[in-house]
Amino acid sequence: MPKSADGTVRVPHARMETDDGESPVFGSFIIAVSYVLVFLTFPVSLFFCFKVVKEYERAVIFRLGRLRSGGAKGPGLFFTLPYVDNFRCIGLRTGVHDITPQEILTKDSVTIRVDAIVFYQVSNPLAAVCQNKDYNKSTKVLAGTMLRTVLGTRSLSEILADREAIAANLLENLEIATDQWGVHVEKVEIKDVKLPKQMQRVMAAEAEATREARSKVIHAEGEQRSVVALKQAADMLSSSPVSLKLRYLQEMNNIAAEKNHTIIFPLPTELMEGLRRRFGGSVEKE
């Protein structure tokens, strides 16, 4: 009979449907004696023969160590033979496991600490009992191992940016691995990624430098646009002297509206240029 690496006996699916008639002769004799004892001790034996499993449970019954046909029993009432049958109840409700924080070396050689959580439930009670010694422990250990394996192939930036994709990949791998144990993994979530203090300071300095560089670029682009706009406005004003004077008057009106005692009257640069030429010519003549 095949065995796993930890010594767990792996029962083939065909073996799970074993008929009770395949029991040896001595086993059949013991079963017959048990039925006789149940009949002789009736109705006291009823308290020992009938068991109840809840709605969210299933009972896997073994008769003389062999798996009984008919699959898992429940929910409700079922019959067992004392000292011949033994059973194990398996819960079908979703369980949650908080994966132990893992120290992981990423693809770009950065050590991080990752917290994750996995939700799973039993989908096949027969496989959960016969295919694995402890499906709860196996699922938890496998989840931690696969978390290290998957994150070890990713860089730090990918882990921080693609948590959902990594969780989906991890869920797919776990679902394939635990299917033979009768366990269905419903969801995997990465709760937290903790970086070393030094790495946090380096990333904060890098982000600050990136923001500062971006702000300088935005400021330079704004200055460039403003220069273009001012040049266009100057060209339009220079083409019409009346417009320039109206602009002067508008600025004077704005200054006066603020209740200032000092009013600055701008002189046209053409006037200043004419005065400079006039005085310059008179000096040259002297």
Side-chain angles (χ1 to χ4, degrees):
M1 184 174 295
K3 295 185 178 181
S4 61
D6 60 350
T8 303
V9 176
R10 301 188 63 183
V11 181
H13 291 284
R15 182 67 178 275
M16 292 184 181
E17 301 298 332
T18 302
D19 189 8
D20 294 340
E22 296 180 4
S23 300
V25 176
F26 184 70
S28 301
F29 174 75
I30 294 177
I31 294 173
V33 171
S34 298
Y35 275 112
V36 171
L37 291 177
V38 169
F39 179 75
L40 293 177
T41 58
F42 186 84
V44 178
S45 59
L46 295 178
F47 295 98
F48 302 95
C49 293
F50 288 97
K51 307 294 180 180
V52 177
V53 291
K54 299 177 182 178
E55 181 68 28
Y56 52 84
E57 294 178 338
R58 296 296 183 271
V60 179
I61 304 175
F62 296 90
R63 174 162 293 179
L64 295 178
R66 299 170 63 89
L67 185 65
R68 289 192 60 184
S69 61
K73 306 297 181 181
L77 192 69
F78 65 95
F79 177 82
T80 60
L81 282 176
Y83 306 105
V84 174
D85 294 344
N86 61 342
F87 67 95
R88 180 180 173 185
C89 284
I90 301 297
L92 302 181
R93 292 180 292 182
T94 299
V96 57
H97 169 59
D98 194 358
I99 301 175
T100 305
Q102 304 290 322
E103 295 284 346
I104 300 172
L105 183 64
T106 61
K107 186 178 180 180
D108 49 354
S109 302
V110 178
T111 302
I112 59 176
R113 189 179 180 89
V114 181
D115 293 339
I117 192 171
V118 57
F119 297 86
Y120 64 95
Q121 68 174 166
V122 176
S123 59
N124 187 351
L126 299 182
V129 174
C130 299
Q131 300 282 22
N132 196 283
K133 187 182 300 182
D134 188 348
Y135 67 90
N136 283 305
K137 182 178 179 181
S138 299
T139 303
K140 296 173 184 178
V141 174
L142 183 63
T145 303
M146 284 195 170
L147 179 64
R148 291 194 299 270
T149 302
V150 172
L151 295 184
T153 60
R154 304 294 185 97
S155 62
L156 178 60
S157 58
E158 292 176 346
I159 294 174
L160 296 177
D162 300 332
R163 289 192 183 185
E164 294 183 358
I166 294 174
N169 186 16
L170 184 60
L171 174 62
E172 182 180 358
N173 294 336
L174 279 175
E175 181 68 16
I176 295 174
T178 59
D179 181 67
Q180 61 181 342
W181 302 338
V183 176
H184 169 61
V185 179
E186 295 182 346
K187 192 175 184 180
V188 178
E189 288 290 341
I190 298 177
K191 297 195 301 182
D192 189 20
V193 178
K194 298 180 181 179
L195 302 175
K197 296 294 183 180
Q198 184 178 0
M199 180 60 66
Q200 293 180 10
R201 290 193 293 268
V202 171
M203 293 183 66
E206 181 182 1
E208 183 178 359
T210 302
R211 289 193 298 268
E212 184 177 356
R214 188 182 297 112
S215 66
K216 290 181 179 180
V217 171
I218 295 174
H219 180 70
E221 291 177 351
E223 290 290 339
Q224 183 180 3
R225 295 192 185 97
S226 64
V227 168
V228 173
L230 289 174
K231 182 179 180 302
Q232 294 176 354
D235 294 340
M236 294 178 64
L237 290 175
S238 62
S239 62
S240 176
V242 178
S243 299
L244 183 60
K245 294 179 180 180
L246 291 176
R247 181 62 179 167
Y248 289 158
L249 294 176
Q250 184 180 3
E251 290 296 329
M252 292 180 62
N253 184 35
N254 293 336
I255 295 173
E258 296 178 358
K259 299 180 181 180
N260 292 327
H261 298 286
T262 302
I263 297 178
I264 300 175
F265 184 78
L267 293 176
T269 55
E270 291 82 0
L271 178 62
M272 299 300 296
E273 183 67 19
L275 292 175
R276 187 183 67 81
R277 290 178 181 178
R278 182 176 180 181
F279 285 106
S282 60
V283 171
E284 289 178 357
K285 292 178 179 179
E286 293 176 358

